[in-house]
Amino acid sequence: MLPAVVLLSGCGLDIAGSDDTSAQSSATAEPTVQIAGAAMKGVIQQGLVVANRLIADKDGYHAPQRQAAKPALTADDGSYEWQLRGKAEGWALVELTADGGTRMICDVVPQCDQAGGEPVAFGQTMPLDSNFSLLGAGDLRLETVNLTPLTHLAVTLAERSGDGLSPVAISSAYTRVENWFGLPAGALRLTPPDLTNLDAMTGVSADAIQVAVANAAFLALVNDNVQWDSISDVLGDVTSQVSSTGQISITGDGTNVALADLVSAAALQSSELQNVVDSSVISQRLAVVQHRNVQRFKTIADVNEESDTSVADSGETTDENTGGDETAGTDSGSTPDSSTDTGTDTSTDTNTGSEEQVAGNTEPDTSGDVTSGGDTSSDTTTDETIADTGTDTNTETSEPVTETTPEETVPANAALLSWTAPLTRENGESLAMGEIAGFEVVYGTSAETLDQSLAIGDASVDELLVDELAEGTWYFAIRTLDTDGNRSSLSEVVYKQI
């Protein structure tokens, strides 16, 4: 099992790092820490990258400590490296700008339109204007900070905090942006793959592809939309909204970029990309991404029907919904927080009949209260299961209530899991979403040996795709982690035959 600490990193940035990676530039020089990552929207080549530590002043306001240094250039694959003076501790802000030599690979199918220029074919390079920039931030103990339109929005959002770019503000902003686009927890720390070269990377996950497609949507909006001449225009509009209001308009007003526009463009791109890849594995994962974006678009539409002035500030409208559009049509099972049956501990406490299923397969005989199918929809919202945190404290967290939904086509070697966050602790006290730090999904080829795990540092996430599973029977369970570091015991084990 992973230690609880890996689930406490807001925005999905695992906080389990090491200072051992700091290097000495010379025998007498101060230590340095290397920051690395990739600039992807598609791949950005010869972009100018600068990194600065985020330092708090006497009032606790965090801002970058500017240092005079020559920018590093991104490589042909978008990667960069930066040596930052000092130890591998604290957080840093990384910024990319463009000049006359900067190029970006068009990752929009079939082409990328340019104002006043010929369209650029998918997979070919195109220039970037001098107004283009990307921001990203992260914990130096991880030493990896990727730069994408989504991380740019997250940093812009974090800058609104009264504490400036504090670790808490950045973590919260990363999580919030993930929720806007219906991305899995921690998605913004994933390095997006090059969408123009997917056949060469069959090991890439559906989650990483979803992040790349969401970033491609910003450039896709330039096509056939006369109000956007470049991706800089699109980014400028969205960041202006976020900077001003802390939100993105759901449907827009005919002038501004809307979240619905971006999600719709992402759904279309994931569909179009299926026609340009040869790998059946990648095609299946793109189908999963397309489905997720379609469901996210439906959720946005549902929210907008409730209020014409609604804005997208999180995914909570569906994350706690047991049967909403966000999870409709997905394979149910175990996922973060209760990602696999919310049973093991629940069966010994006040289990009221939680239900859980993995991709249409029934659970093992040991999970007596688990059903093998059907959509429990909102009927499960009243069911509460309670779990022991496995600690000596009195702050045990209850296991989440899972829901089952109709089977959806997902890769044959994957399990799509969904669940509902717990509402109470073992002692009967209520458990607020703000008290849940995240979840840990554990799995393996034996119910007794769940030797693999996935951490989710976001309480609002209620779905997880576990892919690249070898043939055989796979078993899953989940535990909840609260903000005090207490962990629930594992849920009942569920399984899927691959």
Side-chain angles (χ1 to χ4, degrees):
M1 305 306 171
L2 290 180
V5 68
V6 301
L7 293 175
L8 284 175
S9 55
C11 83
L13 291 172
D14 296 346
I15 63 175
S18 173
D19 290 343
D20 294 338
T21 55
S22 58
Q24 297 289 337
S25 57
S26 68
T28 59
E30 65 178 325
T32 63
V33 56
Q34 176 175 286
I35 304 175
M40 306 291 289
K41 189 359 287 124
V43 175
I44 297 175
Q45 303 171 338
Q46 299 299 295
L48 287 67
V49 178
V50 174
N52 292 287
R53 287 182 182 273
L54 292 168
I55 305 297
D57 61 19
K58 60 183 180 62
D59 297 319
Y61 187 86
H62 291 71
Q65 185 181 56
R66 304 291 181 181
Q67 299 178 6
K70 183 179 179 180
L73 295 179
T74 57
D76 288 345
D77 61 358
S79 64
Y80 75 89
E81 293 182 356
W82 180 274
Q83 295 291 334
L84 193 63
R85 295 198 303 270
K87 296 180 179 180
E89 57 186 21
W91 287 57
L93 175 71
V94 183
E95 181 176 8
L96 176 142
T97 55
D99 65 8
T102 306
R103 294 291 183 270
M104 177 176 67
I105 296 178
C106 171
D107 60 351
V108 173
V109 181
Q111 64 187 30
C112 295
D113 291 346
Q114 298 184 101
E118 293 296 320
V120 176
F122 176 73
Q124 300 302 307
T125 59
M126 59 190 294
L128 286 169
D129 62 81
S130 59
N131 293 323
F132 182 84
S133 66
L134 291 178
L135 298 171
D139 190 335
L140 288 174
R141 287 173 290 181
L142 295 176
E143 302 172 2
T144 300
V145 179
N146 293 317
L147 306 169
T148 70
L150 296 184
T151 65
H152 187 80
L153 293 187
V155 172
T156 302
L157 180 61
E159 288 175 332
R160 291 171 47 84
S161 166
D163 295 329
L165 291 174
S166 67
V168 172
I170 294 170
S171 297
S172 176
Y174 267 61
T175 297
R176 196 172 179 189
V177 171
E178 288 167 353
N179 289 337
W180 284 350
F181 290 85
L183 296 168
L188 295 195
R189 68 181 173 86
L190 298 175
T191 299
D194 179 1
L195 293 178
T196 68
N197 194 33
L198 287 176
D199 284 325
M201 48 184 76
T202 55
V204 66
S205 68
D207 290 348
I209 293 176
Q210 185 180 359
V211 175
V213 170
N215 286 305
F218 289 80
L219 183 56
L221 286 189
V222 178
N223 292 0
D224 302 321
N225 287 277
V226 295
Q227 66 267 47
W228 318 124
D229 290 335
S230 67
I231 186 175
S232 294
D233 290 344
V234 176
L235 271 174
D237 180 277
V238 179
T239 53
S240 178
Q241 291 184 55
V242 171
S243 180
S244 175
T245 67
Q247 301 162 334
I248 301 178
S249 172
I250 281 189
T251 58
D253 54 10
T255 301
N256 291 318
V257 174
L259 181 61
D261 297 333
L262 291 165
V263 174
S264 176
L268 178 60
Q269 281 303 302
S270 48
S271 174
E272 295 286 351
L273 283 165
Q274 294 174 55
N275 299 320
V276 300
V277 298
D278 296 325
S279 169
S280 60
V281 173
I282 295 298
S283 181
Q284 288 177 328
R285 290 174 189 170
L286 283 166
V288 171
V289 173
Q290 180 184 359
H291 167 76
R292 291 177 180 178
N293 281 304
V294 169
Q295 296 305 314
R296 185 61 182 155
F297 184 84
K298 291 180 179 179
T299 299
I300 292 172
D302 288 345
V303 172
N304 188 60
E305 287 179 1
E306 296 176 5
S307 170
D308 292 337
T309 60
S310 295
V311 290
D313 59 358
S314 72
E316 294 179 0
T317 55
T318 57
D319 287 339
E320 296 179 22
N321 186 329
T322 61
D325 290 328
E326 186 94 359
T327 56
T330 60
D331 290 334
S332 60
S334 59
T335 50
D337 200 10
S338 73
S339 66
T340 53
D341 250 2
T342 59
T344 302
D345 292 331
T346 63
S347 61
T348 59
D349 293 309
T350 59
N351 191 326
T352 58
S354 65
E355 301 179 0
E356 185 163 18
Q357 179 187 14
V358 178
N361 287 274
T362 57
E363 289 73 12
D365 294 337
T366 57
S367 56
D369 63 341
V370 177
T371 61
S372 60
D375 186 350
T376 62
S377 188
S378 60
D379 292 340
T380 62
T381 58
T382 58
D383 293 337
E384 294 183 12
T385 57
I386 300 176
D388 185 349
T389 58
T391 66
D392 294 329
T393 69
N394 292 322
T395 57
E396 294 87 348
T397 60
S398 63
E399 293 183 0
V401 179
T402 57
E403 61 193 42
T404 59
T405 54
E407 267 191 65
E408 177 66 22
T409 300
V410 297
N413 65 341
L416 186 58
L417 316 173
S418 63
W419 66 97
T420 301
L423 302 176
T424 60
R425 297 178 182 274
E426 183 181 9
N427 60 9
E429 294 180 356
S430 63
L431 179 65
M433 287 295 291
E435 297 176 293
I436 300 176
F439 313 101
E440 179 187 14
V441 174
V442 294
Y443 59 103
T445 54
S446 167
E448 291 74 34
T449 308
L450 304 176
D451 54 0
Q452 300 187 51
S453 63
L454 293 170
I456 298 178
D458 184 355
S460 66
V461 171
D462 63 355
E463 181 180 278
L464 178 69
L465 180 72
V466 183
D467 60 0
E468 299 182 24
L469 299 173
E471 291 187 3
T473 302
W474 287 84
Y475 299 82
F476 305 83
I478 189 170
R479 60 162 52 97
T480 303
L481 177 70
D482 71 12
T483 53
D484 292 326
N486 300 305
R487 299 192 302 169
S488 71
S489 298
L490 286 175
S491 66
E492 289 184 8
V493 177
V494 296
Y495 71 90
K496 178 182 179 181
Q497 182 71 37
I498 301 298

